Amino acid sequence: MKRYGFYSWETADIKDANGLTLRDYYDILSGLWCADTCAPRMRDEWNY
């Protein structure tokens, strides 16, 4: 089972009107966040 980094991820099974759970949104957003999309002043500290 994949582990997530947000509180109460184990029970985040409720789906929204689009059929997505909080874990789905976490996966989507995690795929978008990267050093290139990080604020330039913080790129040296990027660690995800």
Side-chain angles (χ1 to χ4, degrees), residues 9-46:
W9 66 268
E10 301 94 338
T11 58
D13 297 323
I14 297 172
K15 294 184 179 190
D16 66 4
N18 298 312
L20 299 172
T21 67
L22 287 176
R23 287 188 297 262
D24 295 326
Y25 283 109
Y26 187 94
D27 289 340
I28 292 167
L29 291 173
S30 293
L32 297 174
W33 289 330
C34 65
D36 293 334
T37 60
C38 179
R41 69 185 184 340
M42 301 174 80
R43 284 191 183 139
D44 291 340
E45 298 177 38
W46 180 257

